[in-house]
Amino acid sequence: MKIIMLGAPGAGKGTQAKKIAAKYDIPHISTGDIFRANIKNNTELGQKAKTYMDKGELVPDSLVVDLIMDRFKEADCANGYVLDGFPRTIPQAEALDEALKASGAKVDFAIDVEVPDENIINRMGGRRACVGCGATYHVEFNPPKQADVCDTCGQKLILRDDDKPETVKNRLNVYHEQTQPLIDYYQNAGVLKQVDGTKDMNDVFTDIVDILSK
Ligand code: ADP
Ligand code: ADP
Ligand code: ZN
C-alpha cells in the first residue's frame, strides 16, 4: 500500500502517518525528519537544506527527489510506505508518478488532513519534538508523561525553530501556494480522500482506517 499524507504544516500528518505505519507494518517516510537528521549530523545535504528550512521555504525539488528515490531502494519499502511531507510540489508529484509508473505501481491513497489556518498557529506553538528519536508531542493535546522529556527514549523535547509563529506564517503561505495544488492533482488521479483533522487525533485515525480498509 502506497499512501501519501497531504495537509498544512501542523495538520497532523506525522501523527497519523506514524499510526498508519504501525498498524499496516509499512515504513513512515518523512522528508522533514530525514533533513533534520542530516542537519544534526552536519552532512552536506543537511547544510544545504537548513538554509531553506530556517526561513520556512521549501528545499529545492531536485534535492528532495534524489533523496526520496534513494530511500525507496531500501528493502523495507517492498510492501509500500506512508509518505509524510512528500510530495510538496507538482514537480515532486510528477517525479513520484514517473518513478512508480516505471515499476508498474501507483499511489493508492492521498489522504488530505484538513485543518483551517486559524488552528494551525496554536498547534505549532505547542508542538514538541524529541531530539533523540523524533517523537512528536503537544503540550496540551498529547503531553509527555514528564514535561519536556520523551516517553520513548528519555531525551529532551524541544520547540522546533521553524515552529515559531513568524516562520509558521511563512510556511502556511508556502503551503497554500505550492502544496495545496496537489489536492486537485490527486483528486484528478482519483485517489484523494479527505479527513477532518480538527477532531481528536484518535478519531482522525479511525476515519483514516475506514478509508484504507475499503
Ligand atoms: P511539517 O511536519 O510541519 O509539515 P516537515 O517536517 O514536513 O514540516 O518539513 C519541515 C521543512 O523541511 C519544510 O518547511 C521544508 O523546508 C523542508 N521539506 C520537507 N519536505 C520537503 C519537500 N518534500 N520539499 C521541499 N522541502 C521539504
Ligand atoms: P504535521 O506532521 O502535519 O506537521 P504533526 O503530526 O507533527 O503535524 O502535529 C502537529 C502538532 O499538533 C503536534 O504537536 C501534534 O501532537 C498535534 N496534533 C496532531 N494531531 C492533532 C489533533 N487531531 N488534535 C490536536 N493536536 C494534534
Ligand atoms: Zn525520543
Side-chain angles (χ1 to χ4, degrees):
M1 194 152 49
K2 298 188 176 64
I3 305 167
I4 290 174
M5 304 304 293
L6 296 174
K13 301 180 296 298
T15 301
Q16 298 302 327
K18 287 187 181 102
K19 289 174 179 282
I20 295 169
K23 182 171 169 80
Y24 295 95
D25 198 22
I26 49 177
H28 163 219
I29 303 179
S30 156
T31 41
D33 284 353
I34 297 174
F35 285 133
R36 281 184 290 276
N38 274 274
I39 291 172
K40 197 172 158 191
N41 296 325
N42 202 23
T43 67
E44 200 183 324
L45 176 70
Q47 288 170 6
K48 281 189 193 149
K50 190 176 187 317
T51 56
Y52 300 95
M53 291 170 75
D54 282 349
K55 288 184 275 189
E57 288 167 10
L58 294 185
V59 176
D61 288 335
S62 59
L63 280 183
V64 188
V65 169
D66 285 353
L67 171 108
I68 203 92
M69 293 306 154
D70 275 352
R71 181 66 184 81
F72 289 161
K73 290 177 194 148
E74 288 177 40
D76 63 344
C77 291
N79 295 323
Y81 36 71
V82 51
L83 299 183
D84 163 18
F86 180 92
R88 251 185 167 91
T89 63
I90 297 279
Q92 290 180 19
E94 290 171 346
L96 175 63
D97 278 351
E98 283 295 303
L100 291 176
K101 220 194 291 171
S103 55
K106 64 173 185 58
V107 169
D108 298 303
F109 297 96
I111 299 173
D112 176 30
V113 185
E114 292 186 292
V115 176
D117 286 9
E118 305 85 88
N119 302 28
I120 296 286
I121 304 261
N122 281 342
R123 260 203 204 178
M124 301 300 248
R127 171 155 69 180
R128 294 292 179 275
C130 173
V131 296
C133 71
T136 310
Y137 299 85
H138 192 283
V139 291
E140 185 182 342
F141 307 122
N142 182 25
K145 292 193 182 78
Q146 190 187 333
D148 300 322
V149 177
C150 180
D151 291 351
T152 314
C153 76
Q155 294 205 51
K156 197 173 66 161
L157 304 183
I158 55 153
L159 174 66
R160 268 166 52 181
D161 272 343
D162 64 343
D163 279 351
K164 293 178 179 150
E166 277 320 300
T167 318
V168 171
K169 278 182 201 146
N170 194 34
R171 287 164 65 199
L172 276 173
N173 289 336
V174 168
Y175 168 74
H176 290 301
E177 277 169 27
Q178 302 194 57
T179 307
Q180 215 168 12
L182 293 179
I183 294 176
D184 282 346
Y185 182 95
Y186 286 109
Q187 176 86 60
N188 291 335
V191 295
L192 184 76
K193 304 285 174 190
Q194 292 179 298
V195 294
D196 177 357
T198 65
K199 294 185 185 176
D200 175 273
M201 48 186 91
N202 294 319
D203 294 337
V204 178
F205 186 57
T206 304
D207 291 348
I208 292 176
V209 171
D210 272 353
I211 290 167
L212 298 181
S213 46
K214 274 184 189 134

